Amino acid sequence: MDFFKNLFGKPSKDRFAKIVLKAFADVGVPTKYRYVKEDFSLVSDGDQVFNLHNFYEEYCRLSRADRQEALKRWAMVQFETIGGIPDDVDEALENLRPKLWMKWSLETLRLQTQLKGNEWKSAPVLSVGTHLCVALVYDLPHAMASIAPEQLEKWGISFHQALKAARENLSETPAKIAHLGESFFASVTGDNYDASRIVLLDRLQQLPVKGELIVAVPNRDTLLATGSEDADGLRIMFDLVKAAMSEPRPMSPIPLRLVGDQWFDWEMPSSLPMYHEWRALQMDFLSGIYGEQKQFLDAVHQKTSEDVFVATYSGMRKKTGEALSFCIWGEGIPTLLPKTDIVYIGRQDKTAVMVEWDQMELVVGELVEPTDHYPPRYRVNSFPSNEEFGRLQSVAFDP
């Protein structure tokens, strides 16, 4: 039975690590890796880390035939990235590309490093909305090699100089834009840089959309664009975002709007027919990364013996059917609150009140301290006084 489970079903994580190591050996990856079970990663003798989390999720969603092809691709990527970045800055600049990433992917690496007690050296990035960012990669025939800060120092250039070159290189690369409906567009080049074309602002601003330019990048191979006043285009966008979020390597379902030369999360109007569905999809996304963050932070606090409660990001529905997020702030213990729509504030005498986040900040904002966590967390060391609790009750939320 175990034989057929490994052959056709979802392998265990330990089994998957062995499968990847064999694939590396089959293509001749020269670096030797060892499996680190607690991190679910492969680590070389030179401390190069190959995280397995995303690859495992993608592998488990693929068919048997596609799994073998994916293993070969990952192994070739690793083979090419070893020693694939030149020291000559002029040669390097010709092959730089901007690459869109989930901020949570980078934050995961930072937290893993912190748990190991090692120093984290953050690579410079350009923020794209709340949940995405652009980093630099060196483009190889079958791979993308991430550019570390030390590499920029070797070349003697800044991140912004390198990003400018990367953006120009991408703009010169042939791209395909599909046009559907009155003003719905999709980048369909299929070169693994479609989502990254969000940095090509001049090109996107030329699209004839109705209203403000709205884009979505639900995975690394998908960039969708339409207008804020195009109901049909927004419906198409939602359907494609929803489908993409169930495919391998999902990114963010949260649409973005361009203000000047910066992207910001777009607050969709409640008048949209799919408003409730889209809100629920976004909450599922946030619940997932907040849940993973809580596991990491709990482990960090256990290691450092810090007494702090990491509150859970949870969901509820109003009587109207609208999905809302909430967290619990209890009396008597320092707490890290996720940013939610509603805060449930409970006292030790078991009296409690639910308030909207904005209302909570108006009454007791001085108790709520922002932190540098991503996704956003707010620390509360003190609890509302009796007078403040009474004021919170006067603006209580009615679901």
Side-chain angles (χ1 to χ4, degrees), residues 26 31 41 62 73 77 82 84 95 110 147 225 227 247 262 267 375:
D26 289 344
T31 303
S41 65
L62 295 173
R73 184 174 70 252
V77 166
I82 296 173
N95 292 288
R110 186 188 73 81
I147 304 300
E247 296 173 356
Q262 296 185 54
E267 294 291 336

Side-chain angles (χ1 to χ4, degrees), residues 25 148 383:
F383 196 77

Side-chain angles (χ1 to χ4, degrees), residues 356-366 391-392:
E356 295 180 355
W357 184 280
D358 291 343
Q359 291 291 336
M360 180 268 292
E361 284 196 317
L362 286 174
V363 177
V364 292
E366 70 280 358
R391 288 166 58 196
L392 290 169

